[in-house]
Amino acid sequence: MITVMGATGNVGRPLVRALAAAGEQVTAVSRQKTPDVPDVPDGVRVAPVVESALDGAEALFLMVPGGFAPLDGLLAAARAAGVERVVLLSSQGVATGRHPSVPEDSVRASGLKWTMLRPGGFASNAVQWAGSVRSSRQVVAPFGDVALPVVDPEDIAAVAAVALRSGGSGEVYELTGPSPITPRQQAAAIGDALGEPVAFVPQTRAEARAAMLGFMPEPVADVTLDILGAPSPAEQRVSPDVERVLGRPPRPFSAWAARNTVAFK
């Protein structure tokens, strides 16, 4: 049995599908109650909180909590329930010093076998532009010509599935896309997927910050803007880890856009 936290999120949903397709018994943790949880394959158990989903689990997929809080209590409960290994969806920012290492420290000290996944920016963050693309075929964003190797969440899920099933321990994977891409280029890729031009409209840092504060804490908004506007060489570097684990290159942003045109129509 593998328990997946955040089972309806950008990574959790394809992870549950991948594990179920591989014949694994899966418990999907979601605050939504079945049968209202979308896209859960037949045979997957749904639980409202992770603590209620640990019985019988050998492996656990966790995400870094908001505020990068410690995970000691949850990991102690997992160990007491017989969980043997944990895969943590962390952040590239831990390695670059942008984000605290507290959740990773909890995992390392848990006594469980562990794997850390450290993705950079998600391709799916482009969904934040869906409203303006639908209404006016525009992407409004700051730092239009600063490139980062955003990663497809389905690639993160595929790596997580391997880690959860392998039984290995002590691996840290940095997960990126195949090449850096700018917001202006992302807008063009969305337009190509739709078959219609999508314009890029520059936004100042102050304008972007004001918009971000509507859905994220001030410190997170500031760090995010620092990464988007002045990334370090490490944040712009393409990692080989997706290909090393999966035996294929990571998917480009254009593939993500082609699969998700419904969000922008």
Side-chain angles (χ1 to χ4, degrees), residues 19-247:
L19 292 171
E24 299 289 348
Q25 292 183 307
V26 182
T27 296
V29 181
S30 172
R31 289 187 176 88
Q32 301 179 63
K33 293 184 178 179
T34 188
D36 299 323
V37 179
D39 301 329
V40 172
D42 291 342
V44 172
R45 175 185 167 221
V46 177
V49 292
V50 70
E51 289 85 353
S52 67
L54 294 173
D55 287 345
E58 296 179 2
L60 172 64
F61 176 77
L62 280 176
M63 300 181 299
V64 164
F68 290 83
L71 292 164
D72 302 63
L74 178 56
L75 291 165
R79 185 174 181 180
V83 172
E84 297 176 359
R85 60 189 181 278
V86 60
V87 173
L88 178 68
L89 181 59
S90 183
S91 166
Q92 183 189 56
V94 174
T96 60
R98 304 275 196 180
H99 296 139
S101 64
V102 174
E104 288 194 9
D105 295 340
S106 293
V107 170
R108 293 176 194 274
S110 68
L112 301 171
K113 296 179 180 179
W114 56 262
T115 301
M116 309 293 186
L117 308 184
R118 292 176 175 171
F122 285 23
S124 55
N125 289 344
V127 171
Q128 68 186 304
W129 303 325
S132 63
V133 172
R134 287 195 300 266
S135 64
S136 57
R137 290 295 187 256
Q138 292 182 338
V139 164
V140 181
F143 316 120
D145 297 308
V146 179
L148 289 166
V150 297
V151 60
D152 191 320
E154 293 214 3
D155 283 344
I156 302 172
V159 173
V162 171
L164 287 162
R165 301 181 71 212
S166 70
S169 183
E171 295 283 355
V172 179
Y173 297 123
E174 183 177 338
L175 308 179
T176 72
S179 60
I181 182 170
T182 68
R184 192 184 304 275
Q185 290 167 332
Q186 290 180 51
I190 293 169
D192 289 344
L194 292 171
E196 300 180 40
V198 172
F200 180 82
V201 179
Q203 189 179 39
T204 67
R205 179 182 174 116
E207 290 168 341
R209 186 176 187 273
M212 287 179 173
L213 292 180
F215 58 89
M216 67 173 62
E218 185 174 351
V220 177
D222 288 334
V223 168
T224 300
L225 288 165
D226 289 344
I227 295 170
L228 294 176
S232 68
E235 288 160 343
Q236 291 184 298
R237 184 177 59 236
V238 172
S239 168
D241 287 349
V242 169
E243 186 164 8
R244 181 159 65 93
V245 175
L246 301 181

